[in-house]
Amino acid sequence: MSSPADRYAAARAASEHPQTLAFAARQRFELDPFQIDACYALESGRSVLVAAPTGAGKTIVGEFAIHLAMQTAGDKAFYTTPMKALSNQKFRELVDVYGPDEVGLLTGDTNINGNARIVVMTTEVLRNMLYAGSDALRGLRFVVMDEVHYLADRFRGPVWEEVILHLSPEVRLVSLSATVSNAEEFGDWLDTVRGDTDVIVSETRPVPLEQHVLVRDDLLPLFDERAGIATAAVNQELLRIRSFTGSRYDSNRRAQEYSSGRHAGRQMQRPSRGGRRPVRAANMPRVERMDRPEVVRLLERASLLPAIFFIFSRVGCDAAVQQVRRSGVRLTTPEERALIREIVDDRTRALQDEDLDVLGFWQWRDDLERGVAAHHAGMLPAFKEVVEELFQRKLVKAVFATETLALGINMPARTVVLEKMEKFNGEARVAITSGEYTQLTGRAGRRGIDVEGHAVVQWTEGMDPQAVAALASRRTYPLNSSFRPTYNMAVNLIDRFGRPRAREILESSFAQFQADRAVVGLARKVRAAEESLEGYQAAMQCEHGDFLEYAAMRREVSDLEKKNRRDAGGPRVAREKRMRKIQSLRNRMQRHGCHGCPDRESHARWAERYYSLKRDTDRIRRQIETRTGTVARTFDRVIDVLQVVGYLEGEGDALSLTDAGRTMRRIYGERDLLVAESLRQGLWRTLDAPSLAAMASCLVYEPRRDEQNMGERGLPRGAFRLAYDATMRLWAELDELEHEFSLPRTEPLAPGLAAAMHAWARGGSLDRVLIDADMAAGDFVRWAKQTIDLLDQLSIVAEDGDLARTARRALDGVRRGIVVYTAV
């Protein structure tokens, strides 16, 4: 029974925060303290930054902001996400709560009820609305920025800062982040630019996570539980296995227990008494890895399904499903199989039979009925949505996924399995970071279903248990800004605010905030060094003359002698010139008053310390100079380029947009200047709809590393080829201009998808197009949607009416079949 003090506190909270308590009463779970604190802050009119582990329930705070907005007629709430898949999922969830009339979805290629009071959207859509001054912003009271740590993403991160900087001051911001190590720093910046912002950090997972290593067919705890949680000592048995390189140990007794089912439900509690199992001699064969089907069966016997197996390659994910299928594993009951077939057939009803054949539908459905599936970016988005739904409904029991699944999609499992602790980053195989490990294993443990989640790392040759334990013990990673001014950003800022105010806004960015904070620390080092330098100068004070002057000559002699020794086989003229210089300096030193000082060598030692510290201090001062005002200086260089090409006119701070600059305001993307200039010069005027779609694909497509040198084989001929060559010449001119003004250079056009996009826009069949593109259906859909996004921009901004109409026809040609199909 609660105490009088507890009852008083509850009554006071009810009177001060009635909305929070009413909202909490409707939830399936009792809200955690961090959720309640965040809701209290929002109800009190403040913004919040919530940093908490994956699966902790951060989105509840965002949902409360929506609840608050719906209490006042005319108020709106926007929910932004970094990915269309997340937007789609959140849209479905909110429709279930508020009904289809109150909820909209805007993701660039999807526009559903955009004027609703609750709108789910990608962050780019909100940025574009802010720059366009959209009427939809009227009445906006709350913006939820889910997965706000995406701000660190090199390509898409700057958009988040643009939104945060440009939102109206009265809008309350709900920032939801993974656990980052500098949440307070990010919160301080939000407080600076947005006003009152509470920083709420939780390190607690709602479902505890047990960490294990699968060695052959034995699941061993990663940490020695007898040592206590505080010490996080590595299981000594794993260290003994590691010490026997190439050894293996006898786990027959454990294997028998698993096969008999006697171990299920308790197999991961702790090692046998004494903590040891027999380890065979070092000359025995190495530890063997279990095949994937065997691992699936082991987890099934131990009641540890559903499970997500993270495999860092798409090919590996598909191969894993094939392995499980060939082994005969079936994880579903007849009733579950019937329900799976019913759901799959309903969600894919709109797809044509010939497309289903190309997509491998029948085999995919059979795998789902077995309870296994792959999940990666190469899959058709609608197929991925079906996998997610079936997994959430506990019908699919084992999913083999790439790490993209870890990015916010609601697919919690009981167990997460990591087959390897390294992945290919596009250039080399690298170890996963502690942040990645936390994000991946964060999927383990379903709130309200599991008492605990389980992370299983499969033993590999050469594995270091200490390194794995270090990853598992560190929960945080830093959030660093990737913000940089773009041409589109520059013209929008100049148009809305003018140059002086635009510079102030950019100097308010998180990028500059972090740089300035670093400068504070560097300046502190400089001040401390200056005090030391004064002390060194006092210590080498000489009554016979200026010892610093004398020491400078000594250093110069020493440096010249070193050069001569290094250049012993070099040109004789240069060495003789240095020798003459050395002799001249020696003569001057002998005439100097300090040369005869009895304490000369003592003073010289202090002088060496002085010069060494001064060299380091000068280097720090240069760092300070480069960091101070870095964003604004880059902005000035962007402005210079825009003036040269005629997008801005005027002098100094009195700048305004030309007609070309006004066109640039509505062009978004990595190649914004190239697109705007191509339009202005009429380079695409002669293109038909399929050719314009192919050109748009060249501007958005990012080739794989193995495609970089494939050349331009197979490109459409005629007008397309002429326009392509002209656009490449224009790119080269702009590239040189950017280099001249010390700006990052833009990548050239990437024609790898042009032929396939041309064929698709002409009505080509899916199988032919995927063969031409040499890519998976999911990849083609992703690039086709980005092509659609650019064509949509062209249809709006092209001043040439014929080109605008061509863009709309190209849109219709690309926006068909699997490109537009979604299960939303």
Side-chain angles (χ1 to χ4, degrees):
M1 191 170 180
S2 60
S3 68
D6 291 338
R7 290 195 296 274
Y8 172 76
R12 182 173 180 180
S15 64
E16 294 180 356
H17 303 286
Q19 293 291 352
T20 298
L21 297 183
F23 176 78
R26 297 209 309 265
Q27 304 309 308
R28 292 183 298 125
F29 310 112
E30 182 178 346
L31 295 190
D32 291 331
F34 85 90
Q35 295 168 324
I36 292 172
D37 289 345
C39 291
Y40 282 175
L42 288 173
E43 192 172 355
S44 299
R46 298 190 296 279
S47 295
V48 293
L49 166 64
V50 180
T54 301
K58 297 184 290 290
T59 56
I60 282 285
V61 181
E63 290 164 12
F64 178 67
I66 293 170
H67 166 81
L68 286 178
M70 297 301 285
Q71 304 309 302
T72 305
D75 281 3
K76 293 181 179 180
F78 289 172
Y79 197 108
T80 71
T81 77
M83 297 164 60
K84 293 176 182 178
L86 286 178
S87 295
N88 294 341
Q89 188 175 77
K90 203 67 203 176
F91 170 73
R92 291 191 293 267
E93 292 173 2
L94 291 171
V95 165
D96 289 342
V97 176
Y98 294 100
D101 293 339
E102 298 285 11
V103 186
L105 176 67
L106 298 174
T107 60
D109 57 322
T110 303
N111 186 335
I112 301 173
N113 199 15
N115 291 316
R117 291 180 62 195
I118 306 166
V119 186
V120 183
M121 61 186 70
T122 53
T123 319
E124 284 83 356
V125 169
L126 178 54
R127 185 271 312 272
N128 298 353
M129 290 171 67
L130 288 166
Y131 279 149
S134 171
D135 290 340
L137 297 169
R138 288 198 192 124
L140 182 61
R141 293 294 172 264
F142 293 94
V143 168
V144 182
M145 303 194 80
D146 201 356
E147 308 284 337
V148 76
H149 50 274
Y150 249 81
L151 183 142
D153 183 80
R154 186 163 63 95
F155 297 106
R156 300 180 59 199
V159 174
W160 298 80
E161 290 193 48
E162 289 181 80
V163 168
I164 292 168
L165 290 169
H166 295 314
L167 276 172
S168 179
E170 66 268 13
V171 175
R172 297 293 89 191
L173 198 62
V174 183
S175 305
L176 307 177
S177 171
T179 311
V180 293
S181 53
N182 59 335
E184 287 76 13
E185 178 188 41
F186 185 49
D188 287 347
W189 174 68
L190 288 173
D191 194 71
T192 301
V193 297
R194 302 292 317 162
D196 293 341
T197 301
D198 286 9
V199 179
I200 297 166
V201 178
S202 174
E203 298 280 357
T204 306
R205 282 178 48 101
V207 180
L209 183 65
E210 297 290 324
Q211 311 268 357
H212 316 281
V213 178
L214 176 58
V215 186
R216 204 174 173 216
D217 55 357
D218 206 355
L219 281 161
L220 300 177
L222 174 58
F223 296 106
D224 188 346
E225 297 176 2
R226 296 166 305 163
I229 295 174
T231 61
V234 178
N235 186 350
Q236 291 300 307
E237 186 167 358
L238 292 172
L239 297 178
R240 283 194 293 274
I241 295 167
R242 162 75 170 165
S243 68
F244 290 105
T245 303
S247 71
R248 77 176 185 186
Y249 61 97
D250 184 359
S251 58
N252 290 337
R253 178 179 59 80
R254 271 283 178 97
Q256 289 166 3
E257 288 186 6
Y258 277 122
S259 62
S260 67
R262 283 182 289 139
H263 223 50
R266 61 183 177 85
Q267 73 289 349
M268 300 209 240
Q269 298 306 309
R270 53 182 52 85
S272 58
R273 294 185 185 278
R276 293 187 61 105
R277 294 186 188 89
V279 179
R280 294 190 179 182
N283 60 357
M284 293 299 291
R286 65 186 180 88
V287 175
E288 297 174 4
R289 286 167 60 89
M290 291 182 76
D291 290 337
R292 286 165 179 149
E294 294 173 339
V295 177
V296 172
R297 289 190 179 99
L298 183 152
L299 296 179
E300 182 186 26
R301 289 193 299 271
S303 300
L304 291 178
L305 296 179
I308 299 173
F309 292 72
F310 281 111
I311 301 171
F312 300 117
S313 90
R314 301 175 185 183
V315 173
C317 292
D318 294 333
V321 174
Q322 292 175 24
Q323 280 182 283
V324 175
R325 179 174 66 245
R326 286 196 300 267
S327 73
V329 167
R330 192 178 291 277
L331 305 172
T332 53
T333 65
E335 294 76 19
E336 288 173 328
R337 289 194 286 277
L339 181 55
I340 289 170
R341 177 167 293 215
E342 179 184 334
I343 292 171
V344 171
D345 289 349
D346 178 66
R347 302 295 185 271
T348 57
R349 199 179 306 281
L351 289 173
Q352 299 178 2
D353 285 348
E354 56 267 31
D355 288 348
L356 293 177
D357 287 336
V358 173
L359 296 167
F361 170 82
W362 314 106
Q363 187 65 72
W364 174 69
R365 187 180 69 178
D366 181 66
D367 293 333
L368 291 174
E369 290 178 17
R370 290 176 177 275
V372 298
H375 188 289
H376 56 72
M379 294 172 61
L380 189 67
F383 281 21
K384 285 196 293 182
E385 291 172 22
V386 170
V387 171
E388 291 158 15
E389 179 181 353
L390 294 177
F391 193 81
Q392 289 165 12
R393 295 175 68 162
K394 305 177 216 173
L395 295 171
V396 165
K397 315 298 174 74
V399 170
F400 298 91
T402 56
E403 69 266 36
T404 54
L405 188 147
L407 299 175
I409 297 173
N410 182 26
M411 275 185 68
R414 185 169 190 203
T415 303
V416 163
V417 180
L418 300 182
E419 292 193 352
K420 293 181 179 178
M421 300 300 287
E422 61 179 21
K423 66 175 185 176
F424 186 70
N425 68 356
E427 297 180 359
R429 299 207 68 82
V430 296
I432 64 173
T433 65
S434 60
E436 288 168 334
Y437 183 91
T438 301
Q439 190 87 350
L440 296 169
T441 57
R443 291 275 156 222
R446 299 161 299 175
R447 188 167 187 171
I449 301 173
D450 298 321
V451 176
E452 60 192 14
H454 298 275
V456 177
V457 176
Q458 202 162 0
W459 185 274
T460 55
E461 199 66 25
M463 175 183 284
D464 181 3
Q466 298 276 18
V468 177
L471 286 179
S473 301
R474 291 173 57 204
R475 293 275 183 247
T476 60
Y477 52 96
L479 176 60
N480 293 314
S481 173
S482 58
F483 186 79
R484 59 181 176 82
T486 64
Y487 298 111
N488 170 272
M489 186 192 304
V491 294
N492 275 291
L493 288 173
I494 293 293
D495 188 48
R496 290 187 65 191
F497 304 110
R499 185 172 190 168
R501 175 66 182 137
R503 283 181 114 260
E504 289 178 16
I505 290 171
L506 293 175
E507 287 174 340
S508 300
S509 66
F510 187 45
Q512 193 58 58
F513 185 83
Q514 288 190 306
D516 290 344
R517 283 208 162 186
V519 164
V520 170
L522 292 172
R524 190 179 300 117
K525 287 184 179 179
V526 168
R527 286 195 297 273
E530 285 172 344
E531 291 178 7
S532 297
L533 289 171
E534 288 175 7
Y536 293 164
Q537 275 188 289
M540 63 175 159
Q541 195 71 36
C542 181
E543 60 185 17
H544 298 283
D546 183 350
F547 201 88
L548 265 181
E549 183 182 69
Y550 179 77
M553 289 187 284
R554 280 180 59 135
R555 286 179 64 82
E556 190 174 358
V557 167
S558 176
D559 290 342
L560 288 169
E561 287 176 338
K562 286 176 184 175
K563 281 184 182 178
N564 261 359
R565 286 195 294 272
R566 282 198 305 268
D567 199 22
R572 189 179 66 180
V573 174
R575 283 186 290 117
E576 288 179 348
K577 184 177 178 181
R578 280 195 289 269
M579 286 301 299
R580 288 195 295 273
K581 177 74 171 174
I582 290 170
Q583 190 56 50
S584 173
L585 285 167
R586 288 189 184 282
N587 291 338
R588 288 175 56 198
M589 286 169 58
Q590 287 173 357
R591 293 194 299 269
H592 197 284
C594 294
H595 189 69
C597 176
D599 296 321
R600 183 183 66 189
E601 294 309 310
S602 174
H603 292 163
R605 286 192 291 273
W606 286 109
E608 283 302 312
R609 294 174 191 171
Y610 174 90
Y611 278 113
S612 176
L613 182 57
K614 188 176 185 303
R615 184 177 61 248
D616 292 341
T617 306
D618 289 344
R619 178 178 51 77
I620 295 172
R621 285 198 179 97
R622 287 193 296 272
Q623 283 183 283
I624 290 174
E625 289 172 7
T626 58
R627 294 189 183 196
T628 304
T630 49
V631 177
R633 281 204 303 275
T634 302
F635 175 69
D636 289 338
R637 291 196 288 269
V638 168
I639 293 295
D640 291 340
V641 169
L642 289 171
Q643 286 183 288
V644 168
V645 293
Y647 284 66
L648 295 172
E649 57 187 4
E651 295 294 332
D653 291 341
L655 294 176
S656 59
L657 273 59
T658 62
D659 289 341
R662 282 185 280 277
T663 299
M664 166 72 81
R665 288 181 309 173
R666 303 293 296 276
I667 298 174
Y668 305 98
E670 288 291 308
R671 298 183 176 92
D672 48 6
L673 182 58
L674 178 60
V675 172
E677 270 296 276
S678 298
L679 287 176
R680 185 166 72 157
Q681 296 184 22
L683 301 186
W684 305 334
R685 193 174 294 150
T686 60
L687 296 179
D688 60 11
S691 296
L692 186 59
M695 180 64 70
S697 77
C698 294
L699 291 156
V700 300
Y701 181 54
E702 296 171 12
R704 299 188 303 265
R705 185 164 297 277
D706 55 359
E707 289 181 61
Q708 296 288 349
N709 300 312
M710 289 184 63
E712 300 167 358
R713 298 190 305 274
L715 289 184
R717 298 192 177 278
F720 173 85
R721 189 56 192 249
L722 293 173
Y724 175 83
D725 290 343
T727 308
M728 279 298 292
R729 286 194 295 273
L730 174 60
W731 166 80
E733 294 170 11
L734 295 176
D735 183 61
E736 282 303 312
L737 185 61
E738 288 175 325
H739 178 64
E740 180 184 338
F741 284 93
S742 302
L743 286 170
R745 301 170 93 160
T746 308
E747 291 294 320
L749 276 67
L753 191 57
M757 193 61 68
H758 187 272
W760 179 253
R762 289 175 56 203
S765 65
L766 178 63
D767 59 341
R768 185 73 256 167
V769 166
L770 292 183
I771 290 171
D772 288 346
D774 187 25
M775 65 175 54
D779 290 325
F780 178 75
V781 168
R782 184 170 73 257
W783 294 120
K785 288 187 174 182
Q786 292 197 34
T787 300
I788 286 171
D789 186 49
L790 178 54
L791 289 170
D792 189 42
Q793 294 177 42
L794 297 180
S795 72
I796 295 169
V797 304
E799 296 179 0
D800 183 330
D802 290 340
L803 182 60
R805 284 188 288 274
T806 303
R808 286 191 285 274
R809 288 195 299 273
L811 268 173
D812 293 337
V814 178
R815 193 188 278 146
R816 66 181 181 87
I818 65 167
V819 172
V820 293
Y821 179 72
T822 174
V824 171

